[in-house]
Amino acid sequence: MTWVLPLDIGLVMGLILAWPVLAFAGSFRLLGFPDLTLEGSLPTGAAVYAVAILNNWSLPTAIIAAMIAGACLGALTAIIHLQFRVNKFLAGIIVVAISYTLDLRIMEASNIGLIQRPSVFDYVAPLNGLIASPFQLGTILLLASVLIVGAAVLIMAINTSWGIRLRVAGSNPNYARALGISVPAYLIVGLAITNALVAGSAAFLAMYQGFSDVGMGQGILIFALASMTIGERLVPEQRLPIPIFVVVAAIVGSLVYEILVAYAVRLGLAATDLKLVTAFFVLAVIAMRIRKHDDEFLEVIR
Amino acid sequence: MPVLSRPQVHSLISAFFGSRARTLSIATLLALGLFSTQFVTSGTAQEKYTIAIANLMQVPALDDALEGMKAELTKEGFVEGKNVEYIYQNANGQIQLTATIANDIVARKPNVIVSLTTPMTQAVVKVARPANIPVVFASVTDPVGAGIVRSVDIGELNITGTSDAWPFEAQMKLIREITPNVKRLGLLFNPGEAASQYGLREVRKYAPELGFTVVEGPVSSTNDVFPVARGLVGRVDALFLSSDNTVISGMAGALQVAIQNKLPFYVGDSGTVQKGGLAAVSVGYYGLGQDTGRLVARVLRGERTIPTIVEKGTEIYVNARAAELMGVRIPDAVLKRATRVYQTIE
């Protein structure tokens, strides 16, 4: 049975980190905004959550506080982009830099330990031993249900007339303006939502790993981009409406990536070769599933 | 011109993974690999122990500690390859990997887990505590502040280890003794590292009574060390660093600045003195490793509640070649007390 254990770890991490991927893919694909802010909103969410928990806030309020902090950072990126006509990438980078100092100030340290503190996973712990002994069934069920409900709500929101206006504002600002849609307002709200999701998942991450650290965001952007790409290659695009495709691809990508990492760690690749192996894997998936209209992908990036 | 055309890439990959259901074949490959490794690892004898080591990143001090630990364990009768098997996992500095590694290690049910650095220890304790696997941490600067143990004096069930809080007071007294004219001390540190916060607090505490003014040089990555050190030139009389892995990894940058500008560059561990730091009062990471090894041995023999060991650190290390290049004359009194005087820069 030991060979399924990495699957378990990969599922847990993949379900937590699916949110940043979802946020990145959503802002990138639906709003046309390659949002780098998540590298800042992730540690800031964890920092706010940790400080709230240290001050004995209840779990839901701490998670909501984290999400509000993330929303503020996302809105800030949009405002910097709109107000000062700063390039989208640069606006994100500026906010990531701001968030670093913010995290150190909020936590008054670079690391807060949460091992002895309550977490939502305590409530589902009894379920954990149910199948094979170390298989974290309760944790996985909890995270999966949060993700499924959240994703369903997101998809429904995207399909309302409000959601459609949001997408138009992002993907075709000129047309949106012609329709009388306030592009800045929708962009600010859009990025606030995606970054609130990132910060919310950061709270779960801090809970799960038992600490919040300013270095938590490092590499999350590359992870999000890689997972998004993997997911988009693996999920059949033609059969799904775009919003559902983006959401499903993000979740699938995150799960596949994290499960791969967990297996690579189990195989003893962690020490030095892990990065090369994951890079090769991403490349392999992309190469295997090259699509005819890939030039469009470059269009979006440009 | 691309080396391979797109169909060629396709055929290459197809040849590698099979043409249909390629993703599935990857899974099969992985699964096969896993089964084969399983056969190798299983079949353990009765009196065999598994020690899992979880590290955040490879730095000389931590490598020294691991070496010391293994040597001590061998002395205690726990010999690698004979009755002890080591599992080593390293997150390569990626904090997001800590939970994955902690879970992986706990799932293998080792007899004891040795965790190095603060974040890695936090992640390991979080998973190992419910699984009832003892943890021995090493090189955690402030285990109480990090929420790992409630107190360093009272033993905690299944959790013990060694703390490497640097002896900053002794270190700063040594700076006074070697270079009495130093007034302004440039402190390189990474505000993003837990260990550094402790160092900063200590240096600020002892600076006034020893007659130092602290000039802060915050860095956020190893690449920052050189420019930040360069920026301190003219504003400080000596360079010093806090106990964080970022500055220690990037110390070569500071060393270059120190040599070019004849600034004494003080450090805090023996490994960095060997690499060209002027002098340090060091915890001695090899010794810390030996203490960790002793704790591991006690845990393997069945003890479960052992108080944390806080390393005092009294050993003086000096680099004579660095002193020459930085234009510093080391007093004979210091040389006499030194545990080791390095003649070259490694």
Side-chain angles (χ1 to χ4, degrees), chain B residues 175-176 178-186 210-213 236-239 264 266:
Chain B
I175 298 177
R176 240 312 136 261
I178 297 177
T179 45
N181 297 325
V182 168
K183 293 263 166 339
R184 299 164 302 172
L185 198 58
L210 291 166
F212 292 116
T213 351
V236 299
D237 307 313
L239 289 174
Y266 292 96

Side-chain angles (χ1 to χ4, degrees), chain A residues 126-147:
Chain A
L127 286 173
N128 277 356
L130 232 51
I131 310 180
S133 66
F135 204 76
Q136 306 166 62
L137 182 67
T139 308
I140 291 172
L141 284 179
L142 175 74
L143 288 169
S145 39
V146 170
L147 187 61

Side-chain angles (χ1 to χ4, degrees), chain A residues 2-3 9 100 104 110-111 113 116 136 207-209 211 213-214 216 218 263 265-266 270-271 287-288 290, chain B residues 6 13 22 34-35 38 89-90 92 94-96 103-104 108 119 122-123 126 146-147 150 191-194:
Chain A
T2 47
W3 67 273
I9 303 160
Y100 189 79
L104 288 172
S110 60
N111 176 301
Q116 329 256 8
Q136 306 166 62
M207 242 179 258
Y208 185 69
Q209 62 188 14
F211 64 88
D213 192 291
V214 285
M216 269 168 83
Q218 269 170 27
Y263 273 106
V265 165
R266 165 53 54 105
M288 269 187 275
I290 287 175
Chain B
R6 203 175 270 184
I13 291 161
R22 300 175 191 106
L34 287 163
F35 277 122
Q38 229 183 305
Q89 293 283 26
N90 173 0
N92 259 336
Q94 273 181 286
I95 290 183
Q96 292 146 33
N103 270 296
D104 179 69
R108 298 193 206 189
Q122 288 167 322
K126 181 84 187 171
R150 287 188 189 85
E193 264 195 55

Side-chain angles (χ1 to χ4, degrees), chain A residues 55-253:
Chain A
N55 288 309
N56 294 318
W57 291 24
S58 73
L59 284 166
T61 41
I63 295 171
I64 291 168
M67 291 179 78
I68 292 172
C72 292
L73 288 183
L76 186 62
T77 303
I79 291 169
I80 289 175
H81 166 62
L82 296 162
Q83 200 64 39
F84 305 110
R85 320 253 153 187
V86 175
N87 172 295
K88 290 170 180 173
F89 290 112
L90 190 55
I93 291 168
I94 290 170
V95 173
V96 171
I98 292 172
S99 82
Y100 189 79
T101 303
L102 212 58
D103 300 342
L104 288 172
R105 289 288 174 193
I106 293 170
M107 298 204 289
E108 290 170 338
S110 60
N111 176 301
I112 290 181
L114 298 167
I115 302 165
Q116 329 256 8
R117 304 280 167 176
S119 93
V120 291
F121 303 117
D122 298 343
Y123 299 105
V124 292
L127 286 173
N128 277 356
L130 232 51
I131 310 180
S133 66
F135 204 76
Q136 306 166 62
L137 182 67
T139 308
I140 291 172
L141 284 179
L142 175 74
L143 288 169
S145 39
V146 170
L147 187 61
I148 289 167
V149 171
V153 170
L154 263 184
I155 290 172
M156 285 198 290
I158 296 169
N159 283 327
T160 59
S161 60
W162 179 86
I164 290 166
R165 281 202 291 275
L166 179 72
R167 281 174 57 199
V168 175
S171 57
N172 197 340
N174 292 329
Y175 181 55
R177 261 178 234 115
L179 291 176
I181 295 171
S182 164
V183 175
Y186 275 96
L187 199 56
I188 291 169
V189 173
L191 290 193
I193 292 172
T194 55
N195 282 289
L197 297 178
V198 175
S201 78
F204 281 91
L205 187 59
M207 242 179 258
Y208 185 69
Q209 62 188 14
F211 64 88
S212 159
D213 192 291
V214 285
M216 269 168 83
Q218 269 170 27
I220 196 73
L221 206 56
I222 292 162
F223 161 76
L225 190 55
S227 302
M228 184 185 85
T229 314
I230 292 174
E232 288 182 354
R233 297 292 171 136
L234 292 178
V235 175
E237 186 179 22
Q238 290 83 357
R239 285 177 220 161
L240 295 169
I242 295 288
I244 298 178
F245 168 74
V246 169
V247 169
V248 172
I251 294 171
V252 168

Side-chain angles (χ1 to χ4, degrees), chain B residues 267-279:
Chain B
V267 294
D269 67 296
S270 51
T272 314
V273 173
Q274 195 174 355
K275 290 191 161 175
L278 178 58

Side-chain angles (χ1 to χ4, degrees), chain B residues 100-251:
Chain B
T100 305
I101 287 181
N103 270 296
D104 179 69
I105 275 182
V106 168
R108 298 193 206 189
K109 296 196 169 60
N111 298 87
V112 59
I113 302 175
V114 178
S115 65
L116 299 107
T117 74
T118 307
M120 192 47 108
T121 302
Q122 288 167 322
V124 165
V125 168
K126 181 84 187 171
V127 197
R129 197 203 297 262
N132 238 338
I133 296 173
V135 178
V136 177
F137 57 84
S139 189
V140 171
T141 300
D142 185 6
V144 178
I148 295 162
V149 291
R150 287 188 189 85
S151 151
V152 287
D153 305 317
I154 307 160
E156 191 142 341
L157 181 67
N158 275 342
I159 299 167
T160 185
T162 50
S163 162
D164 67 345
W166 281 11
F168 280 96
E169 190 183 8
Q171 174 71 48
M172 288 165 80
K173 281 184 177 152
L174 181 74
I175 298 177
R176 240 312 136 261
E177 191 177 349
I178 297 177
T179 45
N181 297 325
V182 168
K183 293 263 166 339
R184 299 164 302 172
L185 198 58
L187 183 72
L188 296 164
F189 68 104
N190 176 2
E193 264 195 55
S196 205
Q197 301 282 336
Y198 171 83
L200 194 59
R201 223 164 43 224
E202 291 288 293
V203 171
R204 281 200 193 124
K205 188 162 93 189
Y206 296 114
E209 61 187 84
L210 291 166
F212 292 116
T213 351
V214 179
V215 182
E216 292 176 12
V219 301
S220 55
S221 76
T222 49
N223 299 332
D224 283 353
V225 176
F226 178 75
V228 170
R230 187 77 195 74
L232 287 173
V233 172
R235 298 194 286 140
V236 299
D237 307 313
L239 289 174
F240 184 34
L241 48 75
S242 182
S243 47
D244 67 73
N245 292 325
T246 312
V247 181
I248 294 173
S249 305
M251 67 79 68

Side-chain angles (χ1 to χ4, degrees), chain B residues 9-25:
Chain B
V9 174
H10 262 297
S11 56
L12 255 182
I13 291 161
S14 306
F16 203 70
F17 294 117
S19 55
R20 295 294 292 165
R22 300 175 191 106
T23 26
L24 262 180
S25 59

